[in-house]
Amino acid sequence: MSKMTVFLVDDHEMVRLGLKTYLMLDPDIDVIGEASGGIDAIDQISQRSDELPDLVLMDLMMPDMDGVEATRQLILKYPKLRIVMLTSFMEDEQVVAAIQAGATSYVLKTVSAEDLIYAIRGAYRGMPVMSGEVSQALTRGLRKRAARPDDEGLTEREKEVLLLIADGKSNKDISDELHISIKTVKTHVSNLLMKCEMQDRTQLAVFAHRKGWVKLS
């Protein structure tokens, strides 16, 4: 039987090394590549279009392109690709965004090595694997979206970011004004693009104006 091929995506080299070292101990798994960010992952996997990995182990928070956006783009190009989100973050909205982007499973980095392998094998077979707390976060996130139909399911922070985008602010400007990291700003922008079904910041700005959320001076 051929081995399951896995591609690692994480912006921390030591995390990738640890994952690769452990996964390669499994006789049924072959780690065939790794990337330090979302853009790098898309480029490398696209070069392997004739022989895609069976599964991608994807970090959520990365500086160039976060895991949600990378997952969304990869699934659009390769619908059968299995992606497991492996992260330290478990905000309700992040779990929902990752699953809606196409991730098969959402796994916390605090899981045991055995549970990670179980999640990988499950995703490989198309079976979503999530801990009880992640499932609860997914349920809460979906309920919150359903309760806010007029806001397109946006969180208060996402709406703040959207209004600043509509005001012509850059990621750096938004980071400074809201006192959050640029990485976090990029994650919010990615989520906004997905939720509002827009392609770029200009469309987001127009969307905010059409909703009447932007006050004209």
Side-chain angles (χ1 to χ4, degrees), residues 21-77:
T21 300
Y22 178 76
L23 293 177
M24 293 294 280
L25 293 175
D26 191 304
D28 297 326
I29 294 177
D30 186 15
V31 178
I32 61 170
E34 58 185 84
S36 60
I39 294 175
D40 186 23
I42 292 170
D43 288 343
Q44 288 198 49
I45 292 173
S46 295
Q47 292 173 14
R48 296 174 173 271
S49 57
D50 293 335
E51 191 174 356
L52 294 173
D54 294 316
L55 183 139
V56 177
L57 204 55
M58 179 79 73
D59 190 19
L60 177 65
M61 304 296 285
M62 295 179 289
D64 61 346
M65 178 187 290
D66 65 75
V68 170
E69 179 61 18
T71 295
R72 188 182 69 82
Q73 292 194 25
L74 284 170
I75 293 299
L76 281 174
K77 293 180 70 174

Side-chain angles (χ1 to χ4, degrees), residues 68 71-72 75 79 81-83 96-105 194:
V68 170
T71 295
R72 188 182 69 82
I75 293 299
L81 188 63
R82 305 296 189 189
I83 298 180
V96 174
I99 299 303
Q100 290 193 336
T104 302
S105 299
M194 181 188 68

